[in-house]
Amino acid sequence: MCDMYLRGPSGVITSPNYPVQYDNNAYCVWVITALNPAKVGLGDVAPCRSFSALVETLCNKRICWLPWQLIPINVLHLCQVIKLTFEEFELERGYDTLTVGDGGQVGDQKTVLYVLTGTTVPDLIVSTHHQMWLLFQTDSVSNLLGFKATYEEIDQGSCGDPGIPAYGRREGSTFRHGDSLKFECQPAFELKGQKTITCQKSSQWSAQKPVCVCKSVRRWL
């Protein structure tokens, strides 16, 4: 659907008609807004960027050395930003485009992050504000499959919660850059995938969340 104003915490955006070919002369706009743009457990805070800079200056990985007291980092709620991840992407190269921008002013050239085209699935995109906008434009000649993307509201400087696999357990409950999570399965199951994943500075986990597979079933795969 076109021309939508979306709010977190997560959702899916697709080109018109997906998974069927999109229309010629399309002009579609999406604006994604985080539910809680900037919040802190100790009360109201300054705008997102200045508060983020304060946290970077005063906090290490676990503790914030704020002037009035020591605060565990998991108590401090940081600014919310938008993480956009593409699953499918197929546009007519050079003629049909998806422009992704920072903030809520659609079409503002100063806020453009990427202009996407072609058939290569883009890397994930993370906003620096609590809003992100997308503008999809096509010409009058040919059309292709289009795109499918998921968006997720995450803390600035984090990768978001990857979840816990069914029939499994997870060690670790923070998801900021540099944090690691360890997974294991219940006795009748074995782990398929990486046992440990780390949140990278790109706001992407180093690997997908593993799955737990029944041992008796695995022998027949």
mmCIF file of all heavy atoms in Angstrom, residues 26-57:
data_model
loop_
_atom_site.group_PDB
_atom_site.id
_atom_site.type_symbol
_atom_site.label_atom_id
_atom_site.label_comp_id
_atom_site.label_asym_id
_atom_site.label_seq_id
_atom_site.Cartn_x
_atom_site.Cartn_y
_atom_site.Cartn_z
ATOM 1 N N ALA A 26 4.497 4.839 -10.636
ATOM 2 C CA ALA A 26 4.141 4.767 -9.215
ATOM 3 C C ALA A 26 4.835 5.882 -8.439
ATOM 4 O O ALA A 26 5.945 6.304 -8.773
ATOM 5 C CB ALA A 26 4.520 3.411 -8.640
ATOM 6 N N TYR A 27 4.145 6.352 -7.418
ATOM 7 C CA TYR A 27 4.712 7.355 -6.504
ATOM 8 C C TYR A 27 4.171 7.043 -5.124
ATOM 9 O O TYR A 27 3.013 7.332 -4.811
ATOM 10 C CB TYR A 27 4.323 8.772 -6.935
ATOM 11 C CG TYR A 27 5.000 9.866 -6.122
ATOM 12 C CD1 TYR A 27 6.176 10.449 -6.579
ATOM 13 C CD2 TYR A 27 4.450 10.311 -4.919
ATOM 14 C CE1 TYR A 27 6.802 11.454 -5.846
ATOM 15 C CE2 TYR A 27 5.073 11.305 -4.178
ATOM 16 C CZ TYR A 27 6.239 11.870 -4.644
ATOM 17 O OH TYR A 27 6.866 12.863 -3.927
ATOM 18 N N CYS A 28 4.986 6.412 -4.295
ATOM 19 C CA CYS A 28 4.531 5.934 -2.993
ATOM 20 C C CYS A 28 5.431 6.471 -1.890
ATOM 21 O O CYS A 28 6.651 6.529 -2.043
ATOM 22 C CB CYS A 28 4.547 4.409 -2.943
ATOM 23 S SG CYS A 28 3.408 3.616 -4.087
ATOM 24 N N VAL A 29 4.805 6.820 -0.776
ATOM 25 C CA VAL A 29 5.527 7.384 0.356
ATOM 26 C C VAL A 29 5.171 6.604 1.618
ATOM 27 O O VAL A 29 4.013 6.263 1.855
ATOM 28 C CB VAL A 29 5.162 8.868 0.557
ATOM 29 C CG1 VAL A 29 5.737 9.387 1.871
ATOM 30 C CG2 VAL A 29 5.661 9.705 -0.600
ATOM 31 N N TRP A 30 6.204 6.318 2.420
ATOM 32 C CA TRP A 30 6.010 5.748 3.752
ATOM 33 C C TRP A 30 6.822 6.572 4.742
ATOM 34 O O TRP A 30 7.978 6.906 4.478
ATOM 35 C CB TRP A 30 6.482 4.306 3.829
ATOM 36 C CG TRP A 30 5.750 3.341 2.937
ATOM 37 C CD1 TRP A 30 4.655 2.583 3.244
ATOM 38 C CD2 TRP A 30 6.090 3.001 1.583
ATOM 39 N NE1 TRP A 30 4.281 1.807 2.165
ATOM 40 C CE2 TRP A 30 5.140 2.041 1.140
ATOM 41 C CE3 TRP A 30 7.079 3.421 0.695
ATOM 42 C CZ2 TRP A 30 5.174 1.496 -0.139
ATOM 43 C CZ3 TRP A 30 7.115 2.892 -0.581
ATOM 44 C CH2 TRP A 30 6.167 1.932 -0.986
ATOM 45 N N VAL A 31 6.241 6.892 5.878
ATOM 46 C CA VAL A 31 6.952 7.558 6.966
ATOM 47 C C VAL A 31 6.808 6.692 8.206
ATOM 48 O O VAL A 31 5.693 6.388 8.635
ATOM 49 C CB VAL A 31 6.402 8.967 7.244
ATOM 50 C CG1 VAL A 31 7.147 9.596 8.427
ATOM 51 C CG2 VAL A 31 6.531 9.850 6.011
ATOM 52 N N ILE A 32 7.942 6.263 8.760
ATOM 53 C CA ILE A 32 7.957 5.396 9.941
ATOM 54 C C ILE A 32 8.383 6.231 11.144
ATOM 55 O O ILE A 32 9.387 6.946 11.097
ATOM 56 C CB ILE A 32 8.949 4.225 9.760
ATOM 57 C CG1 ILE A 32 8.710 3.523 8.423
ATOM 58 C CG2 ILE A 32 8.825 3.247 10.909
ATOM 59 C CD1 ILE A 32 9.828 2.575 8.041
ATOM 60 N N THR A 33 7.622 6.136 12.217
ATOM 61 C CA THR A 33 7.911 6.891 13.434
ATOM 62 C C THR A 33 8.004 5.951 14.622
ATOM 63 O O THR A 33 7.128 5.098 14.815
ATOM 64 C CB THR A 33 6.814 7.941 13.702
ATOM 65 O OG1 THR A 33 6.692 8.811 12.567
ATOM 66 C CG2 THR A 33 7.151 8.781 14.943
ATOM 67 N N ALA A 34 9.049 6.100 15.428
ATOM 68 C CA ALA A 34 9.196 5.285 16.633
ATOM 69 C C ALA A 34 8.108 5.646 17.636
ATOM 70 O O ALA A 34 7.693 6.801 17.747
ATOM 71 C CB ALA A 34 10.576 5.500 17.244
ATOM 72 N N LEU A 35 7.647 4.650 18.380
ATOM 73 C CA LEU A 35 6.599 4.880 19.376
ATOM 74 C C LEU A 35 7.088 5.765 20.509
ATOM 75 O O LEU A 35 6.370 6.627 21.003
ATOM 76 C CB LEU A 35 6.113 3.545 19.944
ATOM 77 C CG LEU A 35 5.239 2.685 19.023
ATOM 78 C CD1 LEU A 35 4.938 1.349 19.686
ATOM 79 C CD2 LEU A 35 3.937 3.402 18.690
ATOM 80 N N ASN A 36 8.334 5.550 20.942
ATOM 81 C CA ASN A 36 8.907 6.316 22.049
ATOM 82 C C ASN A 36 10.207 6.950 21.580
ATOM 83 O O ASN A 36 11.276 6.379 21.782
ATOM 84 C CB ASN A 36 9.162 5.408 23.256
ATOM 85 C CG ASN A 36 7.875 4.813 23.795
ATOM 86 O OD1 ASN A 36 7.020 5.518 24.295
ATOM 87 N ND2 ASN A 36 7.748 3.502 23.684
ATOM 88 N N PRO A 37 10.136 8.125 20.926
ATOM 89 C CA PRO A 37 11.321 8.724 20.300
ATOM 90 C C PRO A 37 12.507 8.878 21.234
ATOM 91 O O PRO A 37 13.631 8.574 20.886
ATOM 92 C CB PRO A 37 10.813 10.093 19.830
ATOM 93 C CG PRO A 37 9.338 9.942 19.733
ATOM 94 C CD PRO A 37 8.936 8.945 20.771
ATOM 95 N N ALA A 38 12.280 9.369 22.441
ATOM 96 C CA ALA A 38 13.385 9.556 23.385
ATOM 97 C C ALA A 38 12.822 9.461 24.786
ATOM 98 O O ALA A 38 11.986 10.246 25.191
ATOM 99 C CB ALA A 38 14.043 10.926 23.181
ATOM 100 N N LYS A 39 13.265 8.469 25.535
ATOM 101 C CA LYS A 39 12.770 8.292 26.892
ATOM 102 C C LYS A 39 13.918 7.860 27.781
ATOM 103 O O LYS A 39 14.890 7.271 27.331
ATOM 104 C CB LYS A 39 11.658 7.244 26.928
ATOM 105 C CG LYS A 39 12.093 5.881 26.390
ATOM 106 C CD LYS A 39 10.959 4.903 26.425
ATOM 107 C CE LYS A 39 11.422 3.533 25.927
ATOM 108 N NZ LYS A 39 10.380 2.517 25.975
ATOM 109 N N VAL A 40 13.797 8.145 29.048
ATOM 110 C CA VAL A 40 14.821 7.748 29.997
ATOM 111 C C VAL A 40 14.138 7.386 31.308
ATOM 112 O O VAL A 40 13.146 7.990 31.689
ATOM 113 C CB VAL A 40 15.857 8.879 30.211
ATOM 114 C CG1 VAL A 40 15.224 10.111 30.830
ATOM 115 C CG2 VAL A 40 16.997 8.397 31.086
ATOM 116 N N GLY A 41 14.654 6.396 32.004
ATOM 117 C CA GLY A 41 14.029 5.934 33.220
ATOM 118 C C GLY A 41 13.994 6.976 34.319
ATOM 119 O O GLY A 41 13.233 6.874 35.275
ATOM 120 N N LEU A 42 14.826 8.033 34.202
ATOM 121 C CA LEU A 42 14.887 9.048 35.253
ATOM 122 C C LEU A 42 14.083 10.289 34.908
ATOM 123 O O LEU A 42 14.169 11.292 35.589
ATOM 124 C CB LEU A 42 16.355 9.441 35.490
ATOM 125 C CG LEU A 42 17.250 8.276 35.879
ATOM 126 C CD1 LEU A 42 18.675 8.739 36.030
ATOM 127 C CD2 LEU A 42 16.756 7.649 37.175
ATOM 128 N N GLY A 43 13.317 10.280 33.827
ATOM 129 C CA GLY A 43 12.502 11.435 33.473
ATOM 130 C C GLY A 43 12.783 11.910 32.069
ATOM 131 O O GLY A 43 13.438 11.236 31.286
ATOM 132 N N ASP A 44 12.291 13.095 31.743
ATOM 133 C CA ASP A 44 12.449 13.630 30.395
ATOM 134 C C ASP A 44 13.907 13.928 30.106
ATOM 135 O O ASP A 44 14.696 14.241 30.998
ATOM 136 C CB ASP A 44 11.625 14.909 30.230
ATOM 137 C CG ASP A 44 10.132 14.627 30.323
ATOM 138 O OD1 ASP A 44 9.758 13.479 30.019
ATOM 139 O OD2 ASP A 44 9.374 15.533 30.714
ATOM 140 N N VAL A 45 14.255 13.839 28.818
ATOM 141 C CA VAL A 45 15.643 14.068 28.424
ATOM 142 C C VAL A 45 15.709 15.058 27.291
ATOM 143 O O VAL A 45 14.704 15.460 26.727
ATOM 144 C CB VAL A 45 16.315 12.757 27.971
ATOM 145 C CG1 VAL A 45 16.354 11.789 29.120
ATOM 146 C CG2 VAL A 45 15.585 12.157 26.796
ATOM 147 N N ALA A 46 16.914 15.438 26.960
ATOM 148 C CA ALA A 46 17.142 16.333 25.836
ATOM 149 C C ALA A 46 16.848 15.609 24.535
ATOM 150 O O ALA A 46 16.667 14.402 24.520
ATOM 151 C CB ALA A 46 18.608 16.802 25.872
ATOM 152 N N PRO A 47 16.789 16.333 23.405
ATOM 153 C CA PRO A 47 16.551 15.682 22.117
ATOM 154 C C PRO A 47 17.526 14.543 21.864
ATOM 155 O O PRO A 47 18.603 14.494 22.431
ATOM 156 C CB PRO A 47 16.747 16.831 21.114
ATOM 157 C CG PRO A 47 16.406 18.063 21.894
ATOM 158 C CD PRO A 47 16.860 17.789 23.300
ATOM 159 N N CYS A 48 17.141 13.674 20.965
ATOM 160 C CA CYS A 48 17.808 12.390 20.771
ATOM 161 C C CYS A 48 19.315 12.508 20.588
ATOM 162 O O CYS A 48 20.072 11.836 21.253
ATOM 163 C CB CYS A 48 17.172 11.687 19.579
ATOM 164 S SG CYS A 48 17.718 9.999 19.343
ATOM 165 N N ARG A 49 19.759 13.371 19.699
ATOM 166 C CA ARG A 49 21.186 13.402 19.379
ATOM 167 C C ARG A 49 22.022 13.868 20.566
ATOM 168 O O ARG A 49 23.061 13.312 20.858
ATOM 169 C CB ARG A 49 21.422 14.307 18.167
ATOM 170 C CG ARG A 49 21.152 13.600 16.839
ATOM 171 C CD ARG A 49 21.637 14.416 15.674
ATOM 172 N NE ARG A 49 21.632 13.634 14.450
ATOM 173 C CZ ARG A 49 21.998 14.122 13.272
ATOM 174 N NH1 ARG A 49 22.380 15.373 13.158
ATOM 175 N NH2 ARG A 49 21.979 13.372 12.203
ATOM 176 N N SER A 50 21.577 14.925 21.270
ATOM 177 C CA SER A 50 22.369 15.408 22.377
ATOM 178 C C SER A 50 22.377 14.429 23.533
ATOM 179 O O SER A 50 23.377 14.251 24.211
ATOM 180 C CB SER A 50 21.882 16.770 22.864
ATOM 181 O OG SER A 50 20.525 16.943 22.678
ATOM 182 N N PHE A 51 21.271 13.730 23.760
ATOM 183 C CA PHE A 51 21.239 12.725 24.818
ATOM 184 C C PHE A 51 22.133 11.548 24.465
ATOM 185 O O PHE A 51 22.846 11.022 25.305
ATOM 186 C CB PHE A 51 19.809 12.257 25.048
ATOM 187 C CG PHE A 51 19.712 11.203 26.115
ATOM 188 C CD1 PHE A 51 20.083 11.483 27.417
ATOM 189 C CD2 PHE A 51 19.268 9.934 25.799
ATOM 190 C CE1 PHE A 51 20.001 10.521 28.403
ATOM 191 C CE2 PHE A 51 19.188 8.964 26.775
ATOM 192 C CZ PHE A 51 19.552 9.262 28.080
ATOM 193 N N SER A 52 22.126 11.157 23.180
ATOM 194 C CA SER A 52 22.991 10.061 22.756
ATOM 195 C C SER A 52 24.452 10.413 22.975
ATOM 196 O O SER A 52 25.246 9.588 23.416
ATOM 197 C CB SER A 52 22.734 9.744 21.287
ATOM 198 O OG SER A 52 23.599 8.749 20.840
ATOM 199 N N ALA A 53 24.827 11.657 22.674
ATOM 200 C CA ALA A 53 26.206 12.091 22.874
ATOM 201 C C ALA A 53 26.576 12.048 24.352
ATOM 202 O O ALA A 53 27.681 11.668 24.728
ATOM 203 C CB ALA A 53 26.390 13.502 22.318
ATOM 204 N N LEU A 54 25.622 12.425 25.226
ATOM 205 C CA LEU A 54 25.861 12.362 26.663
ATOM 206 C C LEU A 54 26.135 10.935 27.109
ATOM 207 O O LEU A 54 27.060 10.676 27.879
ATOM 208 C CB LEU A 54 24.656 12.926 27.409
ATOM 209 C CG LEU A 54 24.663 12.809 28.940
ATOM 210 C CD1 LEU A 54 25.762 13.691 29.519
ATOM 211 C CD2 LEU A 54 23.310 13.188 29.511
ATOM 212 N N VAL A 55 25.336 10.000 26.608
ATOM 213 C CA VAL A 55 25.503 8.596 26.975
ATOM 214 C C VAL A 55 26.858 8.085 26.510
ATOM 215 O O VAL A 55 27.566 7.397 27.244
ATOM 216 C CB VAL A 55 24.364 7.743 26.392
ATOM 217 C CG1 VAL A 55 24.669 6.258 26.574
ATOM 218 C CG2 VAL A 55 23.050 8.083 27.068
ATOM 219 N N GLU A 56 27.246 8.413 25.265
ATOM 220 C CA GLU A 56 28.528 7.953 24.746
ATOM 221 C C GLU A 56 29.685 8.476 25.611
ATOM 222 O O GLU A 56 30.689 7.811 25.809
ATOM 223 C CB GLU A 56 28.709 8.431 23.299
ATOM 224 C CG GLU A 56 27.788 7.734 22.310
ATOM 225 C CD GLU A 56 28.107 6.250 22.208
ATOM 226 O OE1 GLU A 56 29.280 5.864 22.363
ATOM 227 O OE2 GLU A 56 27.161 5.475 21.991
ATOM 228 N N THR A 57 29.539 9.691 26.146
ATOM 229 C CA THR A 57 30.603 10.299 26.932
ATOM 230 C C THR A 57 30.684 9.727 28.342
ATOM 231 O O THR A 57 31.769 9.476 28.870
ATOM 232 C CB THR A 57 30.370 11.822 27.033
ATOM 233 O OG1 THR A 57 30.332 12.364 25.712
ATOM 234 C CG2 THR A 57 31.488 12.495 27.825
#
